[in-house]
Structure formats: structure tokens, C-alpha cells
Amino acid sequence: MRERLNELLVEVESFTAKKPEQVEEFRIKMLGSKGVLKELFADFKNVPNEHKKEVGQLINQVKEQAQLKIDEFKALFENIITVDNTIDLTKPGFPTTVGSRHPISLVKNEIIEIFSRIGFTVSEGPEIEDDWHNFSALNFPPEHPARDMQDTFFVESESGEMALRTHTSSVQVRIMENTKPPIRTLSPGRVYRNEAISARAHCFFHQIEGLYIAENVSFADLKQTLLYFAKEMFGEQTEIRLRPSYFPFTEPSAEVDVSCSVCGGKGCNVCKYSGFLEILGCGMVDPNVLENCGIDSKKYSGFAFGMGVERIAMLKYKINDLRLFSEGDVRFLSQFKAAQ
Ligand code: PHE
């Protein structure tokens, strides 16, 4: 009997099946009501007492092993059963389309990353603003002609007339009102202007404005900060040029150009043969603005700058129509990938 059981153990261990029917056949043969094990259990009473323990253990071992084999092959066939065997399982899967970031987000994140390396934080504020934060605190008194620089969408509300913010300088006012200097922050966000939509203008776009307020901040600090930014954004060979300008909230004010990254400053149709491209406005924060926000203008000074994210993205990716950014055309949007 022991020999028979050892043979059975070998048979069970070497069992394999190619089809589910073979597993069923094996089950009936081993564990079925007229199966081998039934027979062995029946013979068990004839085993001499001194061998009963050993033989009993062997029978149980054969039974357990047989059950394990059956379970193993059943599981195997159950998994495969749903798969049509004409399918080539080694073929690559169906491609899954993965979304990509919007070019405006990519450029915005890159700008934030560049300034965060020199200590700038990020601040956000509301898109529907009151007159104080969008205009008055920034030195645009009522009826001041400078208000016409930014054609405004006004919104009627219960709390009086509100406006869709025309720039994110409004966020900087909020920060100055609530924070003790030193302040070093960027305010990115969407802004609105009542302009006819064309390849070069839109009724909404995105800005990133920067503000630095501390003791003894000078125009030289502003220039170095912007030069650092231009080189990081457009390449080490980039040069900047400042032209005097006017903003009600900065004095002195300047507009900043970078050397054209397409022709390297030699002149081409992108820079209209000037060698330079305008990228942002900047200046030293007007002492009136500091005082309006509760900051002592005798102790503190600061600079501010503001740029359009679309403008930077157009230069970086050589895009010639502003409308593409808001049309949501996947053929356009899927071309942009984050820098590795
Ligand atoms: N707020 C200005 C604009 O929207 C940009 C700017 C910001 C200019 C800070 C100077 C300083 O046009």
C-alpha cells in the first residue's frame, strides 16, 4: 500500500492539463466517489495498526496534493477562458492618450520656478475687484486719464460697482495691505480688458506681476533681477534693454525688451528688424502707493514688474496668433510638453 501511495504522489505531482476537461477527468479519477482515494480509504482498515499512522498521513498527503493541482489548473483555465485564443497576447496594448498641460500653464510654472529660486512666493486674489484695489490704491484717482490705458469691464453688484481686474497689481495691493515688509511675491492670474479680439489682443489674458519691498531696494536691484530672469527664460546670451515709460503706480517706470532669441539681435521679421522684443513693464513702486497700503515710504522702497504670460509663450514657442490659446483645439494644445 505504501508503494502504491508513493507512486500516486509522483503521478499527482507530475500532473499537467492543457484543457479544462483534463482537470475534471483527473478530479474524478482521484477524488471522485469511485475514485482512487475512496478505494484507498476503504482498504485502510486492513493496514496493520503499527503502520496506520504513516499510511494515513500519506493518503492525506495525496489527497491534499491532488486538490492543490486541481485548484491551480482551474484558476489557470478560468483566467484564460475569457481570452479568445486568436488574440496575440504579445502585441502591444492600445495606446492611451495622455493629456498635456496647457502652454500657458507650462510657461506660467516656468516663470514662477525661475523667480522662486531667488525667494519669490506666489500670491493670488479675486478676479472681480473693487475700484480701490484695481485702481485707486495704485494711484489712479477717479477721472484720471490713465484709467483709459486699461479698457475695463465693469460689473454691477449689490456692493456697488465692481470690475473684472485689468491687471494682477490688485493682488499686490492686497498683499501690501496685509503684510509687513520685506515682501517678495509674484501674482499670477487671469486679467480682463475690453479689447477687440485679434491675433494680437484678447478680452482676457494672463499676467504674472512681481513685487519686492524692503529697506534700500534700488533700481539696480530691479535691473539685475530682470536680467537674471531674461537669461534663465530665454538663454544665457540674452541681453535686456530698458526704455523709459509711464505707469501711475511706479516712478520711474520702464518697459523692458529682451534681445531677439530668433536672430540673436541681428534683426529678423519676428523682432521687426529691431533686434529686440518687448516683454514687460516695471518700475520703482510709487511712494503714494506704499502709503495707500499702509507701508512707511520713508523706511521702505520697492520695485514691481508685470508681464503677459501669452506674450512670453508666443516668443518661446514662436506662436503668431493669441487666439490659439483660448480656442481649446487639441491639435494645437497637445504639442506642448514640459521641459524635462
Ligand atoms: N500692471 C501693469 C499692466 O498691467 C504692468 C506693470 C506692473 C507695470 C508693475 C509696472 C509695474 O500693464
Side-chain angles (χ1 to χ4, degrees):
M1 181 132 172
R2 245 182 299 163
E3 239 170 72
R4 169 103 175 95
L5 278 166
N6 280 327
E7 277 169 24
L8 270 175
L9 210 51
V10 174
E11 191 186 329
V12 169
E13 261 158 25
S14 57
F15 171 76
T16 62
K18 290 206 175 71
K19 287 185 282 187
E21 297 86 71
Q22 289 173 320
V23 184
E24 184 56 10
E25 230 171 74
F26 177 73
R27 190 192 64 80
I28 294 169
K29 180 179 165 199
M30 290 293 169
L31 308 176
S33 53
K34 289 179 189 143
V36 181
L37 278 156
K38 261 274 151 52
E39 216 176 280
L40 288 168
F41 276 121
D43 280 352
F44 187 64
K45 57 181 181 303
N46 305 326
V47 174
N49 273 350
E50 65 267 34
H51 296 313
K52 270 213 160 74
K53 188 174 171 206
E54 194 192 338
V55 173
Q57 275 173 350
L58 261 176
I59 298 179
N60 277 333
Q61 207 181 334
V62 174
K63 192 181 159 193
E64 274 164 25
Q65 288 295 328
Q67 192 60 57
L68 277 178
K69 277 280 175 181
I70 292 162
D71 292 346
E72 180 187 319
F73 279 99
K74 267 197 180 156
L76 187 74
F77 290 124
E78 263 163 31
N79 284 338
I80 294 182
I81 222 131
T82 51
V83 180
D84 178 347
N85 38 13
T86 58
I87 292 175
D88 178 358
L89 295 173
T90 63
K91 270 188 180 170
F94 294 108
T96 2
T97 30
V98 179
S100 55
R101 274 201 206 288
H102 193 284
I104 294 300
S105 299
L106 290 175
V107 171
K108 180 188 85 175
N109 292 345
E110 192 176 343
I111 297 170
I112 291 175
E113 212 265 318
I114 292 171
F115 281 105
S116 71
R117 273 185 254 145
I118 51 171
F120 279 78
T121 58
V122 172
S123 320
E124 288 184 345
E127 291 187 17
I128 302 176
E129 264 299 4
D130 51 38
D131 182 273
W132 172 255
H133 291 97
N134 198 76
F135 291 120
S136 298
L138 289 159
N139 227 10
F140 290 88
E143 317 305 330
H144 192 284
R147 291 193 177 212
D148 294 341
M149 283 166 75
Q150 303 181 344
D151 289 320
T152 311
F153 286 116
F154 292 98
V155 182
E156 290 296 339
S157 85
E158 278 167 20
S159 50
E161 196 173 62
M162 303 283 279
L164 298 184
R165 68 181 177 195
T166 58
H167 50 185
T168 58
S169 304
S170 55
V171 182
Q172 305 188 329
V173 172
R174 288 175 180 276
I175 295 294
M176 286 189 282
E177 283 173 337
N178 299 318
T179 323
K180 212 176 152 309
I183 299 170
R184 200 161 17 171
T185 192
L186 294 177
S187 32
R190 186 180 271 206
V191 300
Y192 302 82
R193 292 190 195 174
N194 189 359
E195 304 219 17
I197 297 170
S198 71
R200 305 174 134 262
H202 211 295
C203 59
F204 64 81
F205 59 98
H206 299 78
Q207 276 193 330
I208 294 192
E209 296 212 355
L211 176 73
Y212 177 39
I213 300 196
E215 285 178 47
N216 303 320
V217 178
S218 72
F219 203 89
D221 298 324
L222 170 60
K223 264 166 68 177
Q224 281 309 311
T225 304
L226 295 177
L227 182 62
Y228 156 78
F229 166 69
K231 285 180 180 290
E232 291 295 310
M233 190 75 209
F234 299 104
E236 184 51 38
Q237 71 298 334
T238 310
E239 288 172 31
I240 61 170
R241 179 173 81 175
L242 278 78
R243 286 177 287 108
S245 185
Y246 171 77
F247 299 102
F249 36 86
T250 46
E251 184 61 37
S253 306
E255 242 144 292
V256 178
D257 303 337
V258 289
S259 52
C260 177
S261 53
V262 177
C263 61
K266 285 192 213 74
C268 67
N269 58 358
V270 175
C271 59
K272 300 203 189 71
Y273 299 94
S274 68
F276 281 91
L277 297 157
E278 185 191 323
I279 58 157
L280 55 83
C282 65
M284 301 306 290
V285 181
D286 192 303
N288 279 345
V289 174
L290 295 177
E291 296 294 338
N292 284 343
C293 301
I295 292 175
D296 182 354
S297 64
K298 295 202 179 59
K299 185 163 182 209
Y300 296 106
S301 55
F303 63 68
F305 56 87
M307 64 187 104
V309 183
E310 278 82 353
R311 170 114 186 111
I312 308 278
M314 287 169 93
L315 296 176
K316 183 179 162 92
Y317 296 120
K318 306 194 174 58
I319 295 165
N320 57 12
D321 193 330
L322 190 66
R323 290 168 292 196
L324 287 164
F325 291 119
S326 50
E327 281 169 349
D329 187 333
V330 178
R331 291 170 303 176
F332 170 72
L333 297 175
S334 60
Q335 297 174 64
F336 304 94
K337 301 276 174 294
Q340 291 300 305

